[in-house]
Amino acid sequence: MAEQYRLEMVGVSKTFPGVKALDKINLKVRPGTVHALMGENGAGKSTLMKCLFGIYNMDEGEVFIDGNKVDIANPDDALHKGLAMVHQELQPVPARSIAENMYLGRYPLIKFGPLKIVDHKLMNAEAEKWLKDVKMEFNPKAKLGTLSIGQMQSVEIAKAVSQNAKLVILDEPTSSLTDNEVEALFRIIKELKSRGVSMIYISHKMAEIRQIADDITIMRDGTYVGSWEVKDITDEDIVKQMVGRELGNVYPPKDDYRTDEVLLKVSHLSSIHKRSFQDCSFELRRGEILGFGGLVGAQRTELMEAIFGMRNIASGDIEILGEKVSIKHPQDAINNSVGMITEDRRGNGIFGCLSISDNTAISSYRNYTKAGVINSKKVGTVVKDSISRLSIKTPNDRTQIQSLSGGNQQKVIIARWLANNPDILIMDEPTRGIDIGAKFEIYQIMVDLVKQGKSIIMISSEMPELIGMSNRIIVMCSGRITGEVEDEEATQEKIMAFATKFDLNDKIGESSTQEVKS
């Protein structure tokens, strides 16, 4: 193999029961470059990377690093061969320190006679050095659970850098990062490139690919489509190669299906935590897609989790169809025809070890149970209809959900709530980590729901998505509602003005997920 490539994967195939996930895939990555790997959800991108990293054993194919053929038995073997991987779905140990998470499985040890103990002093010093190297100056002794999801992602990147890898795999690395954190990540990537480190960058965000990538490989349905230098392929051609067809508008036609009926009324809702949401009031009408905008730390998610019974409130009222309701637990919300798709898919969205069928039906089993016995036939029909309607790519409905791609996992979660048929559906970052084709499918589902008289609250950090899908947008800043705009008046400038309106130095509204500084 030519030594001009840091990595070559040749003819890689992988089959799972009932589906061929990879069919003779080729990938060539040059030294000191960022190689974008793109394709729709279910195209096989993550499966290919898991084969490279030793998580899966490939059925056939060869791997070459710096021209030398290698066999990678497991992730530990991959690390020793100069590979590191930052996974899209984080699996942190929140109760342990940042340093302990960074050095998990490779703790520095001190010998005391026949005993070996962890050298915490050295570990903390090394962790602090690597965190500073990626411009994330957290206290290495702080509990990882005190960080936001985006900050945890930054720690994972520092961990990968600390392993002195020759090739770093970044799977949707910016899906949970703020704009400032994305800028910091791109600075790190450019620094790593200057050191000769190669990176494989999986992302659905075209602007990121244009900004950071040198080359691009596109996959579709487990097959290799082709590779290009990024400068030689247009955005339109990338999308066409990904989906195998021309794609029209990014968003479905936005008609107004709102009625005068108020489904949900929230009055002066305040958290028990003074640094969280305070004195929030709004209404949601039948047939409306109500967007919630704001910067990270605005407390949009915390407000919605309180409405869904996941967080305690200090004061305020919630009314559904004019009746005051008490929602102290998620089951109370479900009983009042409210559903919620959470932001953290892995942490509190899916049940990884359960099947697609169980994950789809788990919130609606009570609708198909009589005398304590579940009607499996009815459940099976609902699940199969949902899989077909959302085009979920899976061998069968008994497949464990954790084996699906992130986008297909998200579709299963949506299917769960469609099966439960709520009047109000809260969707927190519903298209995070979803490819452009699957995004359109989810948008169309949202439009279909409001046509049926359902109502949707959508939190999104992507302003084009907020503007493209919402009938009305409410903006929050530091725990307070600071503005509201109708769709025809909505611009990114107006939303940003409201998102930065509140006094950020006001400790009452200060985010509860600030960076932990040393």
Side-chain angles (χ1 to χ4, degrees), residues 202-233:
I202 300 176
S203 178
H204 297 116
K205 298 179 180 179
M206 211 74 72
E208 289 183 2
I209 299 303
R210 288 285 170 210
Q211 186 173 350
I212 206 67
D214 301 290
D215 304 308
I216 180 173
T217 289
I218 297 175
M219 297 173 61
R220 183 170 68 239
D221 297 328
T223 64
Y224 171 78
V225 175
S227 297
W228 298 261
E229 287 191 44
V230 169
K231 63 182 177 61
D232 294 333
I233 185 169

PDB file of all heavy atoms in Angstrom, residues 202-233:
ATOM      1  N   ILE A 202     -17.189  12.930  11.139  1.00  0.00           N
ATOM      2  CA  ILE A 202     -18.554  12.590  10.737  1.00  0.00           C
ATOM      3  C   ILE A 202     -19.471  13.742  11.130  1.00  0.00           C
ATOM      4  O   ILE A 202     -19.522  14.138  12.297  1.00  0.00           O
ATOM      5  CB  ILE A 202     -19.032  11.289  11.416  1.00  0.00           C
ATOM      6  CG1 ILE A 202     -18.113  10.112  11.039  1.00  0.00           C
ATOM      7  CG2 ILE A 202     -20.474  10.964  11.020  1.00  0.00           C
ATOM      8  CD1 ILE A 202     -18.466   8.815  11.743  1.00  0.00           C
ATOM      9  N   SER A 203     -20.177  14.294  10.166  1.00  0.00           N
ATOM     10  CA  SER A 203     -21.088  15.404  10.452  1.00  0.00           C
ATOM     11  C   SER A 203     -22.125  15.505   9.345  1.00  0.00           C
ATOM     12  O   SER A 203     -21.887  15.079   8.206  1.00  0.00           O
ATOM     13  CB  SER A 203     -20.320  16.725  10.558  1.00  0.00           C
ATOM     14  OG  SER A 203     -21.219  17.799  10.784  1.00  0.00           O
ATOM     15  N   HIS A 204     -23.293  16.068   9.705  1.00  0.00           N
ATOM     16  CA  HIS A 204     -24.328  16.347   8.712  1.00  0.00           C
ATOM     17  C   HIS A 204     -24.393  17.840   8.404  1.00  0.00           C
ATOM     18  O   HIS A 204     -25.230  18.268   7.611  1.00  0.00           O
ATOM     19  CB  HIS A 204     -25.699  15.897   9.228  1.00  0.00           C
ATOM     20  CG  HIS A 204     -25.777  14.419   9.467  1.00  0.00           C
ATOM     21  ND1 HIS A 204     -25.981  13.890  10.715  1.00  0.00           N
ATOM     22  CD2 HIS A 204     -25.655  13.373   8.630  1.00  0.00           C
ATOM     23  CE1 HIS A 204     -25.994  12.565  10.622  1.00  0.00           C
ATOM     24  NE2 HIS A 204     -25.797  12.245   9.378  1.00  0.00           N
ATOM     25  N   LYS A 205     -23.520  18.626   9.046  1.00  0.00           N
ATOM     26  CA  LYS A 205     -23.592  20.073   8.909  1.00  0.00           C
ATOM     27  C   LYS A 205     -22.677  20.534   7.782  1.00  0.00           C
ATOM     28  O   LYS A 205     -21.454  20.519   7.903  1.00  0.00           O
ATOM     29  CB  LYS A 205     -23.207  20.746  10.234  1.00  0.00           C
ATOM     30  CG  LYS A 205     -24.159  20.375  11.370  1.00  0.00           C
ATOM     31  CD  LYS A 205     -23.763  21.033  12.679  1.00  0.00           C
ATOM     32  CE  LYS A 205     -24.722  20.651  13.799  1.00  0.00           C
ATOM     33  NZ  LYS A 205     -24.357  21.255  15.098  1.00  0.00           N
ATOM     34  N   MET A 206     -23.309  20.941   6.675  1.00  0.00           N
ATOM     35  CA  MET A 206     -22.562  21.274   5.474  1.00  0.00           C
ATOM     36  C   MET A 206     -21.584  22.425   5.710  1.00  0.00           C
ATOM     37  O   MET A 206     -20.460  22.420   5.206  1.00  0.00           O
ATOM     38  CB  MET A 206     -23.544  21.633   4.361  1.00  0.00           C
ATOM     39  CG  MET A 206     -23.060  21.289   2.983  1.00  0.00           C
ATOM     40  SD  MET A 206     -23.130  19.506   2.653  1.00  0.00           S
ATOM     41  CE  MET A 206     -24.895  19.263   2.488  1.00  0.00           C
ATOM     42  N   ALA A 207     -22.020  23.428   6.491  1.00  0.00           N
ATOM     43  CA  ALA A 207     -21.150  24.588   6.733  1.00  0.00           C
ATOM     44  C   ALA A 207     -19.871  24.163   7.448  1.00  0.00           C
ATOM     45  O   ALA A 207     -18.785  24.702   7.181  1.00  0.00           O
ATOM     46  CB  ALA A 207     -21.901  25.636   7.547  1.00  0.00           C
ATOM     47  N   GLU A 208     -19.989  23.210   8.385  1.00  0.00           N
ATOM     48  CA  GLU A 208     -18.801  22.717   9.093  1.00  0.00           C
ATOM     49  C   GLU A 208     -17.849  22.021   8.133  1.00  0.00           C
ATOM     50  O   GLU A 208     -16.626  22.209   8.201  1.00  0.00           O
ATOM     51  CB  GLU A 208     -19.211  21.741  10.190  1.00  0.00           C
ATOM     52  CG  GLU A 208     -19.901  22.378  11.355  1.00  0.00           C
ATOM     53  CD  GLU A 208     -20.221  21.372  12.452  1.00  0.00           C
ATOM     54  OE1 GLU A 208     -19.865  20.176  12.311  1.00  0.00           O
ATOM     55  OE2 GLU A 208     -20.822  21.789  13.443  1.00  0.00           O
ATOM     56  N   ILE A 209     -18.410  21.201   7.253  1.00  0.00           N
ATOM     57  CA  ILE A 209     -17.568  20.465   6.299  1.00  0.00           C
ATOM     58  C   ILE A 209     -16.790  21.448   5.432  1.00  0.00           C
ATOM     59  O   ILE A 209     -15.591  21.286   5.192  1.00  0.00           O
ATOM     60  CB  ILE A 209     -18.441  19.538   5.421  1.00  0.00           C
ATOM     61  CG1 ILE A 209     -19.176  18.502   6.280  1.00  0.00           C
ATOM     62  CG2 ILE A 209     -17.593  18.863   4.350  1.00  0.00           C
ATOM     63  CD1 ILE A 209     -18.285  17.641   7.128  1.00  0.00           C
ATOM     64  N   ARG A 210     -17.460  22.494   4.977  1.00  0.00           N
ATOM     65  CA  ARG A 210     -16.802  23.515   4.160  1.00  0.00           C
ATOM     66  C   ARG A 210     -15.680  24.213   4.934  1.00  0.00           C
ATOM     67  O   ARG A 210     -14.633  24.553   4.381  1.00  0.00           O
ATOM     68  CB  ARG A 210     -17.819  24.558   3.717  1.00  0.00           C
ATOM     69  CG  ARG A 210     -18.796  24.079   2.680  1.00  0.00           C
ATOM     70  CD  ARG A 210     -18.153  23.970   1.320  1.00  0.00           C
ATOM     71  NE  ARG A 210     -19.028  23.278   0.380  1.00  0.00           N
ATOM     72  CZ  ARG A 210     -18.616  22.557  -0.636  1.00  0.00           C
ATOM     73  NH1 ARG A 210     -17.314  22.412  -0.837  1.00  0.00           N
ATOM     74  NH2 ARG A 210     -19.461  21.970  -1.439  1.00  0.00           N
ATOM     75  N   GLN A 211     -15.895  24.405   6.216  1.00  0.00           N
ATOM     76  CA  GLN A 211     -14.947  25.177   7.015  1.00  0.00           C
ATOM     77  C   GLN A 211     -13.737  24.356   7.446  1.00  0.00           C
ATOM     78  O   GLN A 211     -12.626  24.889   7.531  1.00  0.00           O
ATOM     79  CB  GLN A 211     -15.664  25.730   8.259  1.00  0.00           C
ATOM     80  CG  GLN A 211     -14.817  26.674   9.089  1.00  0.00           C
ATOM     81  CD  GLN A 211     -15.609  27.314  10.208  1.00  0.00           C
ATOM     82  OE1 GLN A 211     -16.830  27.196  10.269  1.00  0.00           O
ATOM     83  NE2 GLN A 211     -14.920  27.989  11.116  1.00  0.00           N
ATOM     84  N   ILE A 212     -13.928  23.066   7.697  1.00  0.00           N
ATOM     85  CA  ILE A 212     -12.885  22.312   8.390  1.00  0.00           C
ATOM     86  C   ILE A 212     -12.287  21.155   7.588  1.00  0.00           C
ATOM     87  O   ILE A 212     -11.168  20.727   7.855  1.00  0.00           O
ATOM     88  CB  ILE A 212     -13.423  21.786   9.750  1.00  0.00           C
ATOM     89  CG1 ILE A 212     -12.279  21.597  10.735  1.00  0.00           C
ATOM     90  CG2 ILE A 212     -14.256  20.526   9.572  1.00  0.00           C
ATOM     91  CD1 ILE A 212     -11.613  22.882  11.155  1.00  0.00           C
ATOM     92  N   ALA A 213     -13.022  20.611   6.601  1.00  0.00           N
ATOM     93  CA  ALA A 213     -12.581  19.370   5.950  1.00  0.00           C
ATOM     94  C   ALA A 213     -11.765  19.627   4.691  1.00  0.00           C
ATOM     95  O   ALA A 213     -11.974  20.617   3.988  1.00  0.00           O
ATOM     96  CB  ALA A 213     -13.793  18.505   5.619  1.00  0.00           C
ATOM     97  N   ASP A 214     -10.848  18.699   4.414  1.00  0.00           N
ATOM     98  CA  ASP A 214     -10.044  18.732   3.188  1.00  0.00           C
ATOM     99  C   ASP A 214     -10.628  17.798   2.134  1.00  0.00           C
ATOM    100  O   ASP A 214     -10.704  18.142   0.954  1.00  0.00           O
ATOM    101  CB  ASP A 214      -8.603  18.311   3.496  1.00  0.00           C
ATOM    102  CG  ASP A 214      -7.948  19.204   4.532  1.00  0.00           C
ATOM    103  OD1 ASP A 214      -7.672  20.365   4.208  1.00  0.00           O
ATOM    104  OD2 ASP A 214      -7.745  18.748   5.677  1.00  0.00           O
ATOM    105  N   ASP A 215     -11.014  16.601   2.567  1.00  0.00           N
ATOM    106  CA  ASP A 215     -11.547  15.580   1.665  1.00  0.00           C
ATOM    107  C   ASP A 215     -12.880  15.075   2.200  1.00  0.00           C
ATOM    108  O   ASP A 215     -13.201  15.266   3.378  1.00  0.00           O
ATOM    109  CB  ASP A 215     -10.569  14.398   1.543  1.00  0.00           C
ATOM    110  CG  ASP A 215      -9.183  14.838   1.092  1.00  0.00           C
ATOM    111  OD1 ASP A 215      -9.088  15.539   0.079  1.00  0.00           O
ATOM    112  OD2 ASP A 215      -8.203  14.478   1.779  1.00  0.00           O
ATOM    113  N   ILE A 216     -13.626  14.418   1.337  1.00  0.00           N
ATOM    114  CA  ILE A 216     -14.921  13.893   1.743  1.00  0.00           C
ATOM    115  C   ILE A 216     -15.168  12.534   1.087  1.00  0.00           C
ATOM    116  O   ILE A 216     -14.845  12.335  -0.078  1.00  0.00           O
ATOM    117  CB  ILE A 216     -16.062  14.876   1.375  1.00  0.00           C
ATOM    118  CG1 ILE A 216     -17.424  14.331   1.793  1.00  0.00           C
ATOM    119  CG2 ILE A 216     -16.055  15.203  -0.110  1.00  0.00           C
ATOM    120  CD1 ILE A 216     -18.546  15.330   1.617  1.00  0.00           C
ATOM    121  N   THR A 217     -15.680  11.593   1.888  1.00  0.00           N
ATOM    122  CA  THR A 217     -16.157  10.311   1.362  1.00  0.00           C
ATOM    123  C   THR A 217     -17.637  10.207   1.695  1.00  0.00           C
ATOM    124  O   THR A 217     -18.047  10.503   2.822  1.00  0.00           O
ATOM    125  CB  THR A 217     -15.386   9.128   1.974  1.00  0.00           C
ATOM    126  OG1 THR A 217     -14.054   9.124   1.444  1.00  0.00           O
ATOM    127  CG2 THR A 217     -16.052   7.799   1.638  1.00  0.00           C
ATOM    128  N   ILE A 218     -18.430   9.807   0.730  1.00  0.00           N
ATOM    129  CA  ILE A 218     -19.880   9.685   0.917  1.00  0.00           C
ATOM    130  C   ILE A 218     -20.280   8.217   0.832  1.00  0.00           C
ATOM    131  O   ILE A 218     -19.824   7.480  -0.055  1.00  0.00           O
ATOM    132  CB  ILE A 218     -20.646  10.517  -0.127  1.00  0.00           C
ATOM    133  CG1 ILE A 218     -20.318  12.002   0.056  1.00  0.00           C
ATOM    134  CG2 ILE A 218     -22.156  10.289  -0.020  1.00  0.00           C
ATOM    135  CD1 ILE A 218     -20.925  12.913  -0.997  1.00  0.00           C
ATOM    136  N   MET A 219     -21.124   7.802   1.792  1.00  0.00           N
ATOM    137  CA  MET A 219     -21.674   6.450   1.825  1.00  0.00           C
ATOM    138  C   MET A 219     -23.191   6.508   1.666  1.00  0.00           C
ATOM    139  O   MET A 219     -23.816   7.503   2.046  1.00  0.00           O
ATOM    140  CB  MET A 219     -21.317   5.750   3.145  1.00  0.00           C
ATOM    141  CG  MET A 219     -19.838   5.547   3.372  1.00  0.00           C
ATOM    142  SD  MET A 219     -19.454   4.901   5.031  1.00  0.00           S
ATOM    143  CE  MET A 219     -20.340   3.321   4.993  1.00  0.00           C
ATOM    144  N   ARG A 220     -23.759   5.443   1.118  1.00  0.00           N
ATOM    145  CA  ARG A 220     -25.217   5.361   1.005  1.00  0.00           C
ATOM    146  C   ARG A 220     -25.650   3.904   1.132  1.00  0.00           C
ATOM    147  O   ARG A 220     -25.176   3.039   0.408  1.00  0.00           O
ATOM    148  CB  ARG A 220     -25.693   5.928  -0.338  1.00  0.00           C
ATOM    149  CG  ARG A 220     -27.205   5.942  -0.493  1.00  0.00           C
ATOM    150  CD  ARG A 220     -27.656   6.732  -1.717  1.00  0.00           C
ATOM    151  NE  ARG A 220     -27.276   6.101  -2.969  1.00  0.00           N
ATOM    152  CZ  ARG A 220     -26.514   6.655  -3.887  1.00  0.00           C
ATOM    153  NH1 ARG A 220     -26.013   7.870  -3.686  1.00  0.00           N
ATOM    154  NH2 ARG A 220     -26.235   6.014  -4.999  1.00  0.00           N
ATOM    155  N   ASP A 221     -26.510   3.636   2.118  1.00  0.00           N
ATOM    156  CA  ASP A 221     -27.065   2.293   2.342  1.00  0.00           C
ATOM    157  C   ASP A 221     -25.977   1.227   2.442  1.00  0.00           C
ATOM    158  O   ASP A 221     -26.081   0.146   1.853  1.00  0.00           O
ATOM    159  CB  ASP A 221     -28.051   1.919   1.220  1.00  0.00           C
ATOM    160  CG  ASP A 221     -29.263   2.837   1.189  1.00  0.00           C
ATOM    161  OD1 ASP A 221     -29.667   3.312   2.271  1.00  0.00           O
ATOM    162  OD2 ASP A 221     -29.798   3.087   0.092  1.00  0.00           O
ATOM    163  N   GLY A 222     -24.903   1.557   3.189  1.00  0.00           N
ATOM    164  CA  GLY A 222     -23.846   0.584   3.425  1.00  0.00           C
ATOM    165  C   GLY A 222     -22.887   0.393   2.274  1.00  0.00           C
ATOM    166  O   GLY A 222     -22.054  -0.517   2.303  1.00  0.00           O
ATOM    167  N   THR A 223     -22.979   1.237   1.248  1.00  0.00           N
ATOM    168  CA  THR A 223     -22.077   1.123   0.100  1.00  0.00           C
ATOM    169  C   THR A 223     -21.235   2.382  -0.041  1.00  0.00           C
ATOM    170  O   THR A 223     -21.592   3.452   0.451  1.00  0.00           O
ATOM    171  CB  THR A 223     -22.852   0.889  -1.217  1.00  0.00           C
ATOM    172  OG1 THR A 223     -23.672   2.035  -1.482  1.00  0.00           O
ATOM    173  CG2 THR A 223     -23.715  -0.358  -1.117  1.00  0.00           C
ATOM    174  N   TYR A 224     -20.124   2.241  -0.760  1.00  0.00           N
ATOM    175  CA  TYR A 224     -19.218   3.359  -1.034  1.00  0.00           C
ATOM    176  C   TYR A 224     -19.705   4.089  -2.279  1.00  0.00           C
ATOM    177  O   TYR A 224     -19.860   3.484  -3.344  1.00  0.00           O
ATOM    178  CB  TYR A 224     -17.804   2.812  -1.239  1.00  0.00           C
ATOM    179  CG  TYR A 224     -16.777   3.810  -1.731  1.00  0.00           C
ATOM    180  CD1 TYR A 224     -16.212   4.726  -0.859  1.00  0.00           C
ATOM    181  CD2 TYR A 224     -16.385   3.822  -3.068  1.00  0.00           C
ATOM    182  CE1 TYR A 224     -15.253   5.634  -1.299  1.00  0.00           C
ATOM    183  CE2 TYR A 224     -15.426   4.730  -3.522  1.00  0.00           C
ATOM    184  CZ  TYR A 224     -14.872   5.629  -2.635  1.00  0.00           C
ATOM    185  OH  TYR A 224     -13.933   6.530  -3.076  1.00  0.00           O
ATOM    186  N   VAL A 225     -19.962   5.393  -2.152  1.00  0.00           N
ATOM    187  CA  VAL A 225     -20.414   6.189  -3.299  1.00  0.00           C
ATOM    188  C   VAL A 225     -19.234   6.828  -4.009  1.00  0.00           C
ATOM    189  O   VAL A 225     -19.125   6.770  -5.241  1.00  0.00           O
ATOM    190  CB  VAL A 225     -21.424   7.267  -2.849  1.00  0.00           C
ATOM    191  CG1 VAL A 225     -21.802   8.172  -4.016  1.00  0.00           C
ATOM    192  CG2 VAL A 225     -22.667   6.618  -2.255  1.00  0.00           C
ATOM    193  N   GLY A 226     -18.332   7.456  -3.228  1.00  0.00           N
ATOM    194  CA  GLY A 226     -17.177   8.078  -3.852  1.00  0.00           C
ATOM    195  C   GLY A 226     -16.455   9.005  -2.895  1.00  0.00           C
ATOM    196  O   GLY A 226     -16.928   9.282  -1.789  1.00  0.00           O
ATOM    197  N   SER A 227     -15.276   9.488  -3.330  1.00  0.00           N
ATOM    198  CA  SER A 227     -14.472  10.418  -2.530  1.00  0.00           C
ATOM    199  C   SER A 227     -14.072  11.597  -3.408  1.00  0.00           C
ATOM    200  O   SER A 227     -13.826  11.437  -4.605  1.00  0.00           O
ATOM    201  CB  SER A 227     -13.220   9.734  -1.982  1.00  0.00           C
ATOM    202  OG  SER A 227     -13.563   8.682  -1.105  1.00  0.00           O
ATOM    203  N   TRP A 228     -14.017  12.787  -2.779  1.00  0.00           N
ATOM    204  CA  TRP A 228     -13.679  14.016  -3.485  1.00  0.00           C
ATOM    205  C   TRP A 228     -12.857  14.915  -2.565  1.00  0.00           C
ATOM    206  O   TRP A 228     -12.925  14.788  -1.343  1.00  0.00           O
ATOM    207  CB  TRP A 228     -14.941  14.798  -3.886  1.00  0.00           C
ATOM    208  CG  TRP A 228     -15.869  14.120  -4.816  1.00  0.00           C
ATOM    209  CD1 TRP A 228     -15.961  14.292  -6.172  1.00  0.00           C
ATOM    210  CD2 TRP A 228     -16.886  13.169  -4.475  1.00  0.00           C
ATOM    211  NE1 TRP A 228     -16.964  13.510  -6.687  1.00  0.00           N
ATOM    212  CE2 TRP A 228     -17.551  12.800  -5.675  1.00  0.00           C
ATOM    213  CE3 TRP A 228     -17.305  12.577  -3.279  1.00  0.00           C
ATOM    214  CZ2 TRP A 228     -18.597  11.887  -5.710  1.00  0.00           C
ATOM    215  CZ3 TRP A 228     -18.339  11.662  -3.309  1.00  0.00           C
ATOM    216  CH2 TRP A 228     -18.974  11.323  -4.509  1.00  0.00           C
ATOM    217  N   GLU A 229     -12.109  15.834  -3.156  1.00  0.00           N
ATOM    218  CA  GLU A 229     -11.629  16.964  -2.375  1.00  0.00           C
ATOM    219  C   GLU A 229     -12.815  17.892  -2.177  1.00  0.00           C
ATOM    220  O   GLU A 229     -13.619  18.094  -3.097  1.00  0.00           O
ATOM    221  CB  GLU A 229     -10.484  17.675  -3.094  1.00  0.00           C
ATOM    222  CG  GLU A 229      -9.177  16.895  -3.074  1.00  0.00           C
ATOM    223  CD  GLU A 229      -8.007  17.742  -3.552  1.00  0.00           C
ATOM    224  OE1 GLU A 229      -7.922  18.915  -3.116  1.00  0.00           O
ATOM    225  OE2 GLU A 229      -7.213  17.230  -4.350  1.00  0.00           O
ATOM    226  N   VAL A 230     -12.951  18.450  -0.984  1.00  0.00           N
ATOM    227  CA  VAL A 230     -14.132  19.253  -0.664  1.00  0.00           C
ATOM    228  C   VAL A 230     -14.308  20.404  -1.652  1.00  0.00           C
ATOM    229  O   VAL A 230     -15.440  20.735  -2.036  1.00  0.00           O
ATOM    230  CB  VAL A 230     -14.046  19.780   0.787  1.00  0.00           C
ATOM    231  CG1 VAL A 230     -15.116  20.823   1.067  1.00  0.00           C
ATOM    232  CG2 VAL A 230     -14.179  18.626   1.773  1.00  0.00           C
ATOM    233  N   LYS A 231     -13.231  20.997  -2.106  1.00  0.00           N
ATOM    234  CA  LYS A 231     -13.313  22.138  -3.024  1.00  0.00           C
ATOM    235  C   LYS A 231     -13.872  21.749  -4.387  1.00  0.00           C
ATOM    236  O   LYS A 231     -14.293  22.620  -5.168  1.00  0.00           O
ATOM    237  CB  LYS A 231     -11.940  22.786  -3.192  1.00  0.00           C
ATOM    238  CG  LYS A 231     -10.877  21.901  -3.811  1.00  0.00           C
ATOM    239  CD  LYS A 231      -9.540  22.619  -3.894  1.00  0.00           C
ATOM    240  CE  LYS A 231      -8.440  21.715  -4.440  1.00  0.00           C
ATOM    241  NZ  LYS A 231      -8.712  21.243  -5.810  1.00  0.00           N
ATOM    242  N   ASP A 232     -13.896  20.435  -4.672  1.00  0.00           N
ATOM    243  CA  ASP A 232     -14.309  19.973  -5.997  1.00  0.00           C
ATOM    244  C   ASP A 232     -15.758  19.492  -6.060  1.00  0.00           C
ATOM    245  O   ASP A 232     -16.181  18.975  -7.098  1.00  0.00           O
ATOM    246  CB  ASP A 232     -13.388  18.836  -6.473  1.00  0.00           C
ATOM    247  CG  ASP A 232     -11.968  19.318  -6.709  1.00  0.00           C
ATOM    248  OD1 ASP A 232     -11.793  20.516  -7.011  1.00  0.00           O
ATOM    249  OD2 ASP A 232     -11.041  18.497  -6.587  1.00  0.00           O
ATOM    250  N   ILE A 233     -16.519  19.623  -4.961  1.00  0.00           N
ATOM    251  CA  ILE A 233     -17.902  19.136  -4.971  1.00  0.00           C
ATOM    252  C   ILE A 233     -18.808  20.182  -4.315  1.00  0.00           C
ATOM    253  O   ILE A 233     -18.449  20.771  -3.291  1.00  0.00           O
ATOM    254  CB  ILE A 233     -18.027  17.765  -4.261  1.00  0.00           C
ATOM    255  CG1 ILE A 233     -19.446  17.207  -4.395  1.00  0.00           C
ATOM    256  CG2 ILE A 233     -17.574  17.822  -2.812  1.00  0.00           C
ATOM    257  CD1 ILE A 233     -19.563  15.737  -3.943  1.00  0.00           C
TER     258      ILE A 233
END
